[in-house]
Amino acid sequence: MQANLPKRFYSTANAAPHDEGGFVVHLDGKPVRTPARSILAVSSSSLAGHLAAEWEAQTDVIDPRTMPLTRLVNTALDGVAKELSAVVEDILRFAANDMLFYRASHPVALAERQRLRWDPVLEGLESRLGARFSLTEGVMHVTQPDETLVALRSHVAGLTDAVEVTALHSVTTLTGSGLLALAMRAGDLNGDEAWALAHLDEDWNIEQWGEDAEAVARRAARKFDMDAASLVMRHLMDN
């Protein structure tokens, strides 16, 4: 696979203002383009700087596996921008049947850990939405009140930045929780906190039975992409 990767063909990579607004990554003064030939542009100068750092960090070859930010922005510009409403709907689908609604009845210590760590996230979102979430024990489906679903939809209706939506969707799918992603967007959680909350049940099982090496490796690979999505959200929030 290494032999098939393109060789590094540029001397320097840096971020620069884009003539049409936002910021781009330049390689030897020329803008980077996505696979679909769009200019790799973002609205945040600091995010553009991190993108440029990914390109600068490439050595003999350009390895997309080591460039999660670039991959995310490519996906946003080439794909999500054309299907923005569908991607937002998918985030809403996760949030309407969120993992945080489904609680253990036993062991009691696990149920208490879920209550102590998940409830504050829900309470923060309830305060913002002006709505209440319904919880249940076990895995039987719990339907959220109509007014809560309306409030959730209204909350994400203004999302128009394809890069932000892509990062939000990435966090949603990596954690299995649309609400953790929305809490991150609101500034209630950072990426590491959301990641820990998403793996609360898994970590409980690890404490009881120990780790599985393959599961640890899969989780580390997902965390790599989670960190990239978290960084994107953080810099767009600060923009």
Side-chain angles (χ1 to χ4, degrees):
M1 292 182 65
Q2 186 81 357
N4 294 327
L5 294 172
K7 292 183 178 180
R8 174 167 172 159
F9 57 87
Y10 51 91
S11 297
T12 61
N14 64 281
H18 185 24
D19 292 341
E20 298 180 12
F23 301 86
V24 298
V25 176
H26 279 173
L27 305 179
D28 294 340
K30 296 181 180 180
V32 175
R33 291 186 178 271
T34 69
R37 306 303 297 163
S38 298
I39 291 178
L40 192 76
V42 294
S43 60
S44 163
S45 61
S46 57
L47 178 55
H50 282 280
L51 284 164
E54 278 193 342
W55 286 87
E56 187 62 38
Q58 302 304 298
T59 53
D60 296 332
V61 296
I62 301 170
D63 188 349
R65 294 170 298 180
T66 66
M67 305 173 75
L69 294 176
T70 300
R71 287 190 280 107
L72 188 152
V73 176
N74 283 343
T75 298
L77 300 180
D78 287 351
V80 173
K82 301 171 186 176
E83 301 288 344
L84 196 66
S85 60
V87 177
V88 172
E89 283 295 323
D90 201 44
I91 296 168
L92 283 171
R93 180 178 63 82
F94 271 87
N97 193 38
D98 208 86
M99 62 176 287
L100 301 189
F101 302 149
Y102 297 89
R103 304 300 179 86
S105 57
H106 61 278
V108 173
L110 173 58
E112 180 67 1
R113 185 178 298 186
Q114 290 175 339
R115 184 186 70 80
L116 289 174
R117 298 187 185 178
W118 286 354
D119 281 6
V121 178
L122 296 182
E123 290 164 3
L125 289 170
E126 285 176 336
S127 178
R128 284 186 171 81
L129 296 171
R132 300 288 292 178
F133 296 116
S134 297
L135 310 182
T136 189
E137 291 184 352
V139 296
M140 292 297 292
H141 176 70
V142 57
T143 301
Q144 297 304 307
D146 288 343
E147 57 269 23
T148 299
L149 298 177
V150 170
L152 276 169
R153 183 172 297 279
S154 177
H155 187 65
V156 300
L159 292 173
T160 59
D161 186 324
V163 176
E164 180 182 15
V165 170
T166 304
L168 194 65
H169 187 263
S170 183
V171 170
T172 297
T173 56
L174 288 166
T175 63
S177 171
L179 296 185
L180 288 176
L182 291 176
M184 281 179 59
R185 181 173 182 264
D188 293 342
L189 299 172
N190 62 36
D192 288 341
E193 291 167 340
W195 188 252
L197 292 174
H199 292 84
L200 186 150
D201 289 4
E202 181 179 320
D203 288 341
W204 170 269
N205 288 326
I206 288 172
E207 290 172 16
Q208 312 310 309
W209 311 109
E211 292 183 328
D212 175 83
E214 291 185 4
V216 170
R218 289 193 299 269
R219 179 162 162 176
R222 296 198 313 274
K223 183 60 161 60
F224 186 61
D225 289 332
M226 175 72 177
D227 288 343
S230 301
L231 186 148
V232 169
M233 291 177 64
R234 185 169 69 251
H235 285 278
L236 291 179
M237 285 165 52
D238 293 341
N239 190 33

